[in-house]
Every structure is written in C-alpha cells, then in structure tokens.
Amino acid sequence: MKIYVCKDYERMGRVAANYLAAQINIKPDSVLGLATGSTPVGMYKELVKKYESRDISFKDIVTFNLDEYVNLPKENINSYYTFMHENLFDKIDINPENINMPDGNAKDFDSYSKEYEKAIALKGGIDLQVLGIGNNAHIGFNEPGEYFSKETTVVDLTRSTIDANSRFFDSIDEVPNQAISMGIGTIFKSEKIILLASGKTKAEAIKNTVNGPIDPHVPASILQLHKNVLLIIDEQAASLLDKNCYETV
Ligand code: F6R
C-alpha cells in the first residue's frame, strides 16, 4: 500500500485527478469505478477542467458507481445519480450508455445485483476504482461487521453513516437507512485502487486501515492485501500515521 500525503483538500483533488488523467491517457477506454460523497468533489472539478482544456476525453470511458441509496428517487437532490450528473457526467463528453450506476429503486434487488456484477465482468472488470472512506472505515457502503461482503448487495447503513450523511439532508429522518453497494469482493477485483480521505474525522479510520490488523470491523483494512492500492490523503487524515510510512506530494 503506497500513501501520498497532500497539504490540503485542494491538493488531494489535483493529485487524484492527475492519476485518473494518466489512466485515461494510457487507456482511453478504461473502465472506472467511481465514488460519491464530499471527498471526491475536488477531484471531479479538476477532471472537468482537464476535459475543458482537452487534456482528456471521456468519450470511450465506461463508469460503474459504487453505490446508491435505496428507495430515494433518482431525481432527488441527494441521490448519487444526481450527484454524479451534477459533479461530472453533465460536464464531460461521456457516452450516457457507458454510465452504470446501481439502481436504488430496482424491483428485485437480488437479480438486479447479479446483473450489475455481470455488467462489470462483461466490460472486462474495473481498471481503476476510486474510493472514499467512512469515519468507521467503510468502503462503498460496506459497513463494519463479522465478515467482508463479497458481491453487490443491499446493505443496512449503520447509525454512524446515517449521522455522517445527515449533513446533506434537511433532517436525519430523511436519510435512507439502506443502500445498494458493490461488495468488497467486487471492489477487490479492480486492477488499481485509489482511496481518498480528507480531514481529522478520517484519521482514525486511516490509521486502522494502514496499521491495524485486517479485520471486517475495519472494512478498508482488507486493502492491505491488494496488489495496487494508493492512498491519496490530506495531512489531517494522515495525522495519526507514522511519518515514515508515506510520501509527501
Ligand atoms: C460513496 C461511498 C462512501 C463514501 C464515504 C465517505 O460512494 O462509497 O464510502 O466514500 O462514506 O463519504 P464522504 O466523502 O462524504 O466523507
């Protein structure tokens, strides 16, 4: 696991966008796994700038998003569908047919989840997966538990995640208590993974991910076993790490 520590959130977004742009330049038909939430917003802004200056094109890029809330209409301002369109998809030249997002309103989640897995496999798997991390070290919406989840499935959100995400909603009662999420097994099959984290509230999760034992109660800790993981985090998120274990960029 390689770790880059950036001075602040803005720098983290630029470093992450440069990494994605390099991937897009070397493989213009890359399959990208994408995350939502506040952490990747700066990275998406930088990617849009790179698209506008013709540094990169998304015309042959395929995307699969990590997760979506269950039973939230996709037009809702807080759906990840809306988030991705507002922050990225509506601002770039991606072919809408190449956008894949889990459907939080699917009729039959069991068969839908299998279809989502199949769609990823049909595209040859994910070349580069972008992750954020929850305060409780969840990745995707794979919450701490007794085992590492395998495939895409519906998950119950923990109180900690509902509390953290309530900042986007008018009241905590409006936060859905379930989401459909790629499994940890799905995420793990990606060729390369970058995980972004910013701010003091992520410092403990980052410390446990990097130094702690591999434990399903710290879902991100499984990334220690992946062959190609880069953490791009800011100084606050890195504040509990030993200075010898990262590079400052
Ligand atoms: C979102 C996702 C989640 C978030 C995590 C951090 O697609 O998969 O794991 O990355 O909850 O959220 P923020 O970035 O809002 O702190």
Side-chain angles (χ1 to χ4, degrees), residues 70-71 102-113 180:
V70 163
N71 282 340
D103 181 358
N105 293 284
K107 288 213 173 63
D108 173 350
F109 280 112
D110 280 348
S111 65
Y112 177 78
S113 300
I180 175 167

Coordinates of all heavy atoms in Angstrom, one line a residue, residues 70-71 102-113 180:
V70 N -31.2 3.3 -1.3 CA -32.3 2.5 -1.6 C -33.6 3.4 -1.4 O -33.7 4.1 -0.4 CB -32.4 1.2 -0.8 CG1 -33.8 0.6 -0.8 CG2 -31.4 0.2 -1.3
N71 N -34.5 3.3 -2.4 CA -35.8 4.0 -2.4 C -35.7 5.5 -2.3 O -36.7 6.1 -1.9 CB -36.6 3.5 -1.1 CG -37.2 2.1 -1.4 OD1 -37.3 1.7 -2.5 ND2 -37.5 1.4 -0.3
P102 N -25.7 1.8 -9.7 CA -26.6 0.9 -9.1 C -28.0 1.6 -9.0 O -28.1 2.7 -8.7 CB -26.1 0.6 -7.7 CG -24.7 1.1 -7.8 CD -24.6 2.1 -8.8
D103 N -29.1 0.8 -9.3 CA -30.4 1.3 -9.3 C -31.0 1.1 -7.9 O -31.3 0.0 -7.5 CB -31.3 0.6 -10.3 CG -32.7 1.1 -10.4 OD1 -33.0 2.0 -9.6 OD2 -33.5 0.7 -11.2
G104 N -31.2 2.2 -7.1 CA -31.7 2.1 -5.8 C -33.2 1.8 -5.7 O -33.8 1.7 -4.6
N105 N -33.8 1.8 -6.9 CA -35.3 1.6 -7.0 C -35.6 0.3 -7.8 O -36.7 0.1 -8.3 CB -36.0 2.8 -7.6 CG -35.9 4.0 -6.7 OD1 -36.6 4.1 -5.7 ND2 -35.0 4.9 -7.0
A106 N -34.6 -0.6 -7.8 CA -34.8 -1.8 -8.6 C -35.9 -2.6 -8.0 O -36.2 -2.5 -6.7 CB -33.5 -2.7 -8.6
K107 N -36.6 -3.4 -8.8 CA -37.8 -4.2 -8.3 C -37.3 -5.4 -7.5 O -37.8 -5.7 -6.4 CB -38.7 -4.6 -9.4 CG -39.4 -3.5 -10.0 CD -40.8 -3.9 -10.6 CE -41.6 -2.7 -11.0 NZ -41.0 -2.0 -12.2
D108 N -36.3 -6.1 -8.1 CA -35.8 -7.3 -7.4 C -34.3 -7.1 -7.2 O -33.5 -7.3 -8.1 CB -36.2 -8.5 -8.3 CG -35.5 -9.8 -7.8 OD1 -34.7 -9.7 -6.9 OD2 -35.9 -10.8 -8.4
F109 N -33.9 -6.8 -6.0 CA -32.5 -6.4 -5.7 C -31.6 -7.6 -5.9 O -30.5 -7.4 -6.4 CB -32.3 -5.8 -4.4 CG -32.7 -4.3 -4.3 CD1 -33.8 -3.9 -3.6 CD2 -32.0 -3.4 -5.0 CE1 -34.2 -2.6 -3.6 CE2 -32.3 -2.1 -5.0 CZ -33.4 -1.7 -4.3
D110 N -32.1 -8.8 -5.7 CA -31.2 -10.0 -5.8 C -30.8 -10.2 -7.3 O -29.6 -10.2 -7.6 CB -31.9 -11.3 -5.3 CG -31.8 -11.3 -3.8 OD1 -31.1 -10.5 -3.2 OD2 -32.5 -12.2 -3.2
S111 N -31.8 -10.2 -8.1 CA -31.4 -10.4 -9.6 C -30.7 -9.1 -10.1 O -29.8 -9.2 -10.9 CB -32.6 -10.8 -10.4 OG -33.5 -9.8 -10.4
Y112 N -31.1 -8.0 -9.7 CA -30.5 -6.7 -10.2 C -29.0 -6.7 -9.8 O -28.1 -6.3 -10.6 CB -31.2 -5.5 -9.6 CG -30.5 -4.2 -10.1 CD1 -30.7 -3.8 -11.4 CD2 -29.6 -3.6 -9.3 CE1 -30.0 -2.7 -11.9 CE2 -28.8 -2.5 -9.7 CZ -29.1 -2.1 -11.0 OH -28.3 -1.0 -11.5
S113 N -28.7 -7.1 -8.6 CA -27.3 -7.1 -8.1 C -26.5 -8.0 -8.9 O -25.3 -7.7 -9.3 CB -27.3 -7.5 -6.6 OG -28.0 -6.6 -5.8
I180 N -27.7 0.2 -1.9 CA -27.2 -0.9 -2.7 C -25.7 -0.6 -3.0 O -25.4 0.6 -3.4 CB -28.0 -1.2 -4.0 CG1 -27.4 -2.3 -4.8 CG2 -28.2 0.1 -4.8 CD1 -28.3 -2.8 -5.9

